[in-house]
Structure formats: structure tokens, C-alpha cells
Amino acid sequence: MANLEHVNVTVSDPKATAAWLGAVFDWKIRWEGDAMSGGHTAHVGDDSSYVALYTPNRVINDPQHSYTTRAGLNHVGVTVDDIDAVETRVKAAGFTPHNHGDYEPGRRFYFDDHDGVEWEVVSYN
């Protein structure tokens, strides 16, 4: 059996992104420090998986639309036990939930963060 350990996403401010990820998903910073080419990285998640948040040591250009960019990151999916509580925390973090859906076997919604990364929140409860 294989398990996904982490994904690595380039963001404008790893510390700020790690803070709202912690507030929304109750994740912790597992590691933070210098990264390749003079950049900075924060690993935020739980004991089994995490999101690596990287920023280079240079200005980041505006991203292209991920669904039309080859090898673009379309969204990151996170499963939760209490989707309503998480949606409340998403709103408190300043993001706007959209594309709600009830489907077999669960419920979902999406939101876009300040870097244009789309997050899907799913509950199978």
C-alpha cells in the first residue's frame, strides 16, 4: 500500500499560509527553515502527512490558471470529520467557500486562498 506523504506548493508567504492552515485544519508546523536557492519552506500538517509551503528568494509572478497549465496544481483535497465547523473556520480566515456539493458518499466545498490555490474540503461522515 502507498500513502501520499506530502505535496509541495509555491506560495507568497509560507509563514502566513501555515498560520491559516493551522487555524482552519488544526494542523501544526512540523518543520520550517531555509530551502533551495535561498528560499524558505514550512511543512504544515499532522504526524502522517503535510503540505510543504515554499517561497523562492525572488519575486513570484502571478500564477497562470492551473486547469489550463500543464502540470498545474488544480486543487488540494482535505478530508475532515466536521465539514460545517471547518467551513466556519474557512470563512473566519477570510476565504469564501463555493461549489458546495452533496454526493454519494459525502459532502464537499471548495475555496481559493490568497495565492490562488484551490482547496477542496470533503467529509464522508
Side-chain angles (χ1 to χ4, degrees):
M1 179 173 163
N3 292 303
L4 180 65
E5 183 208 24
H6 75 275
V7 296
N8 189 316
V9 181
T10 299
V11 298
S12 59
D13 185 342
K15 291 180 185 213
T17 302
W20 73 253
L21 282 170
V24 168
F25 295 120
D26 198 27
W27 288 344
K28 65 181 184 211
I29 295 176
R30 295 172 33 143
W31 177 84
E32 182 176 6
D34 294 336
M36 61 184 249
S37 303
H40 186 82
T41 296
H43 294 180
V44 61
D46 61 23
D47 291 336
S48 62
S49 64
Y50 63 95
V51 179
L53 307 167
Y54 168 75
T55 193
N57 187 18
R58 63 177 179 83
V59 175
I60 299 173
N61 295 327
D62 290 336
Q64 297 176 350
H65 190 276
S66 65
Y67 285 89
T68 58
T69 301
R70 185 171 185 195
L73 174 69
N74 295 324
H75 64 262
V76 177
V78 179
T79 58
V80 299
D81 291 329
D82 186 342
I83 197 167
D84 296 320
V86 171
E87 184 169 6
T88 297
R89 294 194 300 262
V90 165
K91 290 176 183 176
F95 305 118
T96 304
H98 62 87
N99 197 18
H100 292 77
D102 293 342
Y103 64 102
E104 188 60 37
R107 297 171 53 204
R108 69 158 194 257
F109 71 87
Y110 296 81
F111 68 95
D112 300 307
D113 73 14
H114 58 277
D115 284 312
V117 176
E118 183 178 61
W119 295 82
E120 178 182 11
V121 179
V122 181
S123 177
Y124 296 113
N125 293 336

